[in-house]
Amino acid sequence: MTNNIIEQAKRGLEGFAVGGYHTSGNFSKYREEYYKYFGDPDYETRKYAIAAFTCMLGTWETGSLQIFQPIQEWAENKKWSSNPLDQKRFYRFKDYLYALLAHHEQIEKEFPYMYEDIVLFLIKIELNQGISYEEWFPEHNPNLFQRLREEILIPKQHLADKRSHWKFLLKEIGIEPFFESDQFRD
């Protein structure tokens, strides 16, 4: 199963070097539960599971794909679609947030550039929506979002303004840069 996590995450990251979060992240094709591997003993498995989550948030924030949906939105989409969406294709936001809360210190230490983007996206998604996560996802325990703010988003808010160069994120994930400007010079 672990190798499958890495392979599925790599497939979801195809196109990332070219257009970042706009051109990758079709994780709706896959049904892996990446959050279960945030604390995996294998470094590569951990890295790709967290890369998948980072990309899911990035595609959500850019508006190119929304993997995480409240049950009410999913039900509405299904009702009006001529080709109803398969609920298994959507990921449960709370599972990923609980895993993030459980492993955020390790993630920040091992993968600082992905962590920087995770914090940025979680802040911006809520701001862009114009309502709190508690209102948007009423099916989830509101204490989850309170913990997220208190343990990560408020103390690490400065990371949202940092915006490290793209090439550091590519290197951290292990993606070959597409553009020469993203290459590291010897």
Side-chain angles (χ1 to χ4, degrees):
M1 180 60 106
T2 299
N3 289 339
N4 197 39
I5 294 295
I6 293 170
E7 292 309 310
Q8 295 295 354
K10 284 182 177 181
R11 284 189 199 120
L13 291 164
E14 289 174 3
F16 192 78
V18 176
Y21 300 107
H22 293 282
T23 58
S24 66
N26 194 0
F27 289 96
S28 62
K29 287 187 203 176
Y30 314 115
R31 297 184 178 157
E32 300 300 341
E33 295 177 320
Y34 299 101
Y35 69 91
K36 291 181 177 178
Y37 300 91
F38 284 10
D40 196 89
D42 179 65
Y43 176 84
E44 289 295 304
T45 302
R46 258 189 335 273
K47 177 176 81 171
Y48 280 105
I50 294 161
F53 177 56
T54 306
C55 196
M56 289 175 189
L57 291 175
T59 59
W60 187 10
E61 192 277 326
T62 62
S64 60
L65 183 67
Q66 185 176 343
I67 293 287
F68 302 109
Q69 289 185 341
I71 291 172
Q72 184 177 344
E73 281 182 30
W74 176 84
E76 198 61 28
N77 287 339
K78 182 178 177 183
K79 185 169 89 177
W80 295 108
S81 175
S82 59
N83 181 13
L85 300 172
D86 177 357
Q87 187 172 16
K88 292 179 182 173
R89 289 175 45 184
F90 295 98
Y91 295 79
R92 291 167 42 133
F93 194 35
K94 72 176 186 173
D95 294 336
Y96 284 82
L97 295 183
Y98 280 123
L100 177 63
L101 285 164
H103 301 286
H104 71 92
E105 291 172 349
Q106 178 184 355
I107 293 169
E108 182 180 20
K109 183 184 288 184
E110 286 186 310
F111 310 111
Y113 302 107
M114 283 191 273
Y115 189 75
E116 183 180 305
D117 277 0
I118 289 168
V119 170
L120 170 70
F121 296 144
L122 287 170
I123 291 170
K124 285 183 76 175
I125 288 166
E126 187 176 39
L127 286 174
N128 293 343
Q129 187 64 24
I131 61 172
S132 69
Y133 284 125
E134 290 88 344
E135 294 171 279
W136 196 6
F137 290 85
E139 67 271 13
H140 297 335
N141 185 334
N143 293 334
L144 169 64
F145 301 115
Q146 188 61 35
R147 277 190 61 208
L148 177 68
R149 283 186 196 89
E150 289 174 0
E151 295 178 32
I152 299 174
L153 300 183
I154 293 170
K156 300 299 179 177
Q157 188 171 2
H158 66 280
L159 295 177
D161 299 326
K162 188 175 177 187
R163 299 306 298 158
S164 297
H165 194 282
W166 179 249
K167 66 183 175 183
F168 295 110
L169 179 65
L170 293 174
K171 184 176 182 179
E172 183 174 84
I173 297 173
I175 295 175
E176 188 65 35
F178 180 80
F179 297 104
E180 192 171 315
S181 61
D182 293 331
Q183 301 280 341
F184 279 91
R185 306 282 182 238
D186 293 333

